[in-house]
């Protein structure tokens, strides 16, 4: 998704001498993905990024599966996840498979005494409640309600929150997060029919070079374990960088909906994709304008995918009693549809004010113990007339 970007100072040619004012060399690092075959950036450090002073004992953060196989429409009340001071401890995985993990988090405090790196997954952090700053060696990104923060794997970061009131919806993708291919031309540029464009992308700014030695704790996640590392230099010691591999942000409020005379299928809401799943944004939009149109969605049989809907805000005409932060999971294999009475009620409406994030995974999701604790056990009966 990202276009070429650069911050700070870099030499005219890559892999050439680049010296500090005292005559010593900056340390060049290639951050590459999929071997040397996909996106990469060249980073120039004040010190080599390899100075490890100590290693702690790794500990597991592997999701604990409560329901591996199931065929039940499920609802989770996401805001029942209790707030926790620490960011990493606040992350509660609720729905998982081999392609992605979906977590909820309600951290109260900023990350100040450690840094974090997910070395096995891209992270999409949706900001439901709260605001603050994503800090990385690549620079800073201010975030607020409605932002998707896209943090590519291998990026060391800290989250600084403005207040203790924060709610996050997090997707860990074990494949790269990208914009849908049909939105891009052969050169990677977003095309005219895309619901967003490059102007909507927030890229890092305000690069600060931390020329610091000491003991810097970096918690690195890989294969379900957290490895505590102590590095001898500050991880945000970038003097400059350039390339395509860096964190970025996009606001759900900048997604321009695609509408039509008849009800549009969910792919028009697609925002991102990974291997075997898509992420969609449902935003306020005009309803269908055929004289006989039915704005409410039709009943739908998921044959090849589960469907996850995370309710953010607004009025959902297809379902009653929706609360903010609620998650619905409609597994592949059985149909689902609008709540009783909502189809007739939708006729004649011209606009919807809903805001939601949808994920369609093409391999079944498993429920974790954290998910079962916040489950509405009677949701599957909500279509009873």
């Amino acid at each position: 998704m990202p276009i070429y970007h650069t911050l700070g100072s870099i030499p005219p040619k890559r892999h050439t001498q680049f010296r500090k004012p005292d005559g010593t060399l900056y340390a060049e690092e290639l951050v590459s993905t999929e071997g040397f075959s996909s996106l990469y950036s060249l980073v120039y450090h004040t010190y080599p990024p390899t100075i490890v002073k100590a290693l702690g004992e790794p500990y597991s953060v592997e999701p604990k599966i409560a329901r591996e196989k199931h065929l039940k429409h499920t609802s989770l009340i996401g805001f029942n996840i209790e707030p926790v001071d620490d960011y990493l401890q606040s992350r509660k995985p609720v729905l998982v498979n081999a392609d992605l993990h979906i977590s909820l988090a309600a951290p109260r405090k900023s990350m100040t005494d450690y840094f974090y790196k997910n070395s096995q997954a891209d992270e999409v952090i949706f900001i439901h409640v709260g605001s603050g700053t994503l800090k990385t060696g690549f620079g800073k990104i201010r975030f607020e309600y409605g932002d998707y923060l896209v943090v590519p794997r291998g990026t060391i970061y800290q989250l600084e929150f403005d207040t203790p009131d924060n709610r996050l919806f997090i997707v860990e993708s074990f494949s790269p997060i990208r914009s849908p291919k049909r939105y891009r031309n052969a050169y990677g540029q977003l095309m005219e029919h895309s619901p967003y464009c490059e102007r909507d992308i927030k890229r890092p700014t305000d690069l600060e070079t931390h020329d610091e030695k000491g003991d810097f704790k970096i918690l690195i996640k890989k294969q379900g374990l957290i490895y505590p590392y102590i590095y001898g230099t500050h991880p945000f010691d970038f003097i400059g960088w350039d390339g395509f591999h860096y964190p970025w942000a996009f606001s759900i409020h900048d997604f321009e909906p695609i509408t039509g005379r008849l009800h549009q299928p969910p792919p028009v809401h697609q925002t991102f994709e990974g291997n075997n799943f898509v992420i969609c944004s449902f935003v306020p939009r005009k309803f269908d304008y055929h004289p006989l149109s039915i704005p409410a969605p039709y009943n739908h049989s998921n044959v090849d995918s589960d469907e996850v809907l995370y309710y953010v805000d607004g009025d959902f005409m297809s379902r009653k009693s929706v609360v903010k932060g609620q998650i619905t999971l409609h597994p592949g294999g059985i149909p689902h549809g609008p709540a009783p009475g909502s189809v007739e009620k939708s006729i004649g409406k011209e606009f919807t004010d809903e805001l939601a994030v949808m994920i369609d995974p093409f391999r079944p999701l498993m429920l974790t113990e954290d998910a079962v604790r916040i489950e509405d056990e009677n949701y599957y009966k909500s279509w009873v007339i």
Side-chain angles (χ1 to χ4, degrees), residues 9 101-102 137 170 311 341 367:
S9 300
H101 288 180
I102 298 172
I170 302 171
Y311 295 92
L367 276 77

Side-chain angles (χ1 to χ4, degrees), residues 44-48 137 208-211 233-239:
Y44 296 88
H45 294 270
T46 305
Y47 303 99
E208 290 183 3
T209 304
H210 290 261
D211 185 349
T233 57
H234 198 292
F236 301 164
D237 70 340
F238 296 21
I239 188 66

Side-chain angles (χ1 to χ4, degrees), residues 15 24-25 68 119 135 144 167 178 222 225 230 240 252 313 329 364:
H15 317 320
T24 59
L25 288 168
E68 181 178 357
S119 67
K135 295 182 175 181
E144 58 189 356
R167 290 280 176 178
R178 53 190 180 268
K222 186 162 187 178
L225 296 176
I230 302 297
I252 195 172
D313 209 345
L329 166 63

Side-chain angles (χ1 to χ4, degrees), residues 153-293:
R153 69 202 58 214
T155 301
I156 300 172
Y157 72 87
Q158 288 182 318
L159 287 177
E160 180 180 272
F161 299 105
D162 293 331
T163 73
D165 188 15
N166 304 286
R167 290 280 176 178
L168 312 176
F169 177 76
I170 302 171
V171 178
E172 290 180 78
S173 171
F174 302 113
S175 60
I177 289 292
R178 53 190 180 268
S179 58
K181 188 176 180 179
R182 68 180 184 279
Y183 293 166
R184 293 179 270 118
N185 61 25
Y187 303 97
Q189 183 181 14
L190 289 166
M191 298 176 72
E192 282 288 295
H193 68 272
S194 171
Y196 55 93
C197 74
E198 286 82 1
R199 296 183 190 184
D200 300 318
I201 303 302
K202 293 195 285 188
R203 292 175 283 170
T205 60
D206 302 324
L207 186 148
E208 290 183 3
T209 304
H210 290 261
D211 185 349
E212 301 174 34
K213 295 180 179 180
D215 295 330
F216 298 92
K217 185 178 183 180
I218 302 177
L219 300 180
I220 303 175
K221 183 176 181 180
K222 186 162 187 178
Q223 295 178 306
L225 296 176
I226 295 286
Y227 294 84
Y229 269 67
I230 302 297
Y231 277 84
T233 57
H234 198 292
F236 301 164
D237 70 340
F238 296 21
I239 188 66
W241 65 273
D242 75 333
F244 285 70
H245 181 83
Y246 56 85
W248 51 281
F250 170 73
S251 174
I252 195 172
H253 305 297
D254 286 329
F255 187 90
E256 300 299 334
I258 298 170
T259 60
R261 274 174 37 101
L262 299 176
H263 192 87
Q264 298 296 294
V268 302
H269 306 289
Q270 188 178 349
T271 311
F272 311 116
E273 64 186 16
N275 290 349
N276 295 319
F277 74 94
V278 299
I279 301 176
C280 301
S281 300
F282 287 84
V283 301
R285 62 194 182 279
K286 279 190 171 296
F287 271 141
D288 327 312
Y289 43 89
H290 186 284
L292 297 178
S293 68

Side-chain angles (χ1 to χ4, degrees), residues 36-150:
F36 292 82
S37 302
S38 193
L39 301 182
Y40 68 91
S41 287
L42 278 169
V43 173
Y44 296 88
H45 294 270
T46 305
Y47 303 99
T50 52
I51 304 173
V52 178
K53 296 177 71 174
L55 290 176
E57 195 66 31
Y59 58 91
S60 176
V61 289
E62 194 75 29
K64 297 179 180 178
I65 305 303
R67 197 177 299 156
E68 181 178 357
K69 297 178 181 179
H70 59 98
L71 192 63
K72 174 188 175 185
H73 291 321
T74 302
S75 177
L76 311 177
I77 309 305
F79 277 21
N80 283 351
I81 292 289
E82 292 293 329
V84 174
D85 284 348
D86 180 72
Y87 168 65
L88 289 184
Q89 292 178 11
S90 77
R91 291 166 55 130
K92 306 299 183 186
V94 290
L95 300 170
V96 301
N97 68 16
D99 301 308
L100 75 160
H101 288 180
I102 298 172
S103 298
L104 298 168
R108 283 189 291 236
K109 292 186 177 180
S110 301
M111 300 164 64
T112 55
D113 59 348
Y114 68 89
F115 304 82
Y116 175 62
K117 176 168 72 172
N118 193 329
S119 67
Q120 66 177 12
D122 286 17
E123 295 190 351
V124 180
I125 305 171
F126 179 78
I127 309 299
H128 192 170
V129 177
S131 61
T133 303
L134 170 67
K135 295 182 175 181
T136 73
F138 296 94
K140 301 177 182 178
I141 300 177
R142 282 288 302 170
F143 62 82
E144 58 189 356
Y145 164 60
D147 279 342
Y148 294 100
L149 298 176
V150 182

